[in-house]
Amino acid sequence: MSEAILVALITGGMSLVGVIVTSLITARKSENTIKIAQAVTDTKIQDLTREVREHNNFARRMPVVEEQIKVINHRIADLERSTQNA
C-alpha cells in the first residue's frame, strides 16, 4: 500500500467520523428544539382547554340568568302596578 492510499484512507476515515459526530450533535439539538416546541404547544393547549371550559360553563349558566331576569322584571312590573293602584 502506498503512502498516498494510506493518507487518503485516514483522511476519509477522519472525515467520516467528523460527519457522524456533526450529524449526532445536530440530531440532538433538533430533538431538544422539538421537545421545547412540544412543551410550549402542550401548555397553550392546556390554557385553551381551560378557557373553553370556562366559556362552556358560562354558556350553560346564561339561560338560567336570563330566566331569573325575566322573573325579576315581572315582579318589578307587578310591584309598579300595585303601587300605582294604591
Side-chain angles (χ1 to χ4, degrees):
M1 218 190 253
S2 73
E3 285 184 31
I5 294 174
L6 185 61
V7 170
L9 287 175
I10 291 173
T11 304
M14 295 303 287
S15 296
L16 180 63
V17 169
V19 167
I20 290 171
V21 168
T22 302
S23 294
L24 290 174
I25 290 172
T26 303
R28 286 186 186 147
K29 286 182 181 179
S30 296
E31 282 181 26
N32 287 337
T33 303
I34 290 170
K35 284 180 183 178
I36 291 170
Q38 186 63 43
V40 169
T41 302
D42 290 345
T43 302
K44 288 181 179 181
I45 288 174
Q46 288 172 354
D47 289 343
L48 287 172
T49 301
R50 179 185 46 79
E51 289 177 14
V52 166
R53 286 184 180 145
E54 287 176 6
H55 178 268
N56 287 344
N57 189 28
F58 176 76
R60 254 183 257 122
R61 289 190 333 240
M62 275 315 293
V64 173
V65 171
E66 288 172 351
E67 187 62 34
Q68 289 174 344
I69 290 172
K70 286 180 187 177
V71 170
I72 291 169
N73 284 335
H74 287 299
R75 291 179 71 185
I76 290 172
D78 290 344
L79 288 172
E80 287 175 345
R81 273 188 252 127
S82 68
T83 56
Q84 289 174 355
N85 292 337

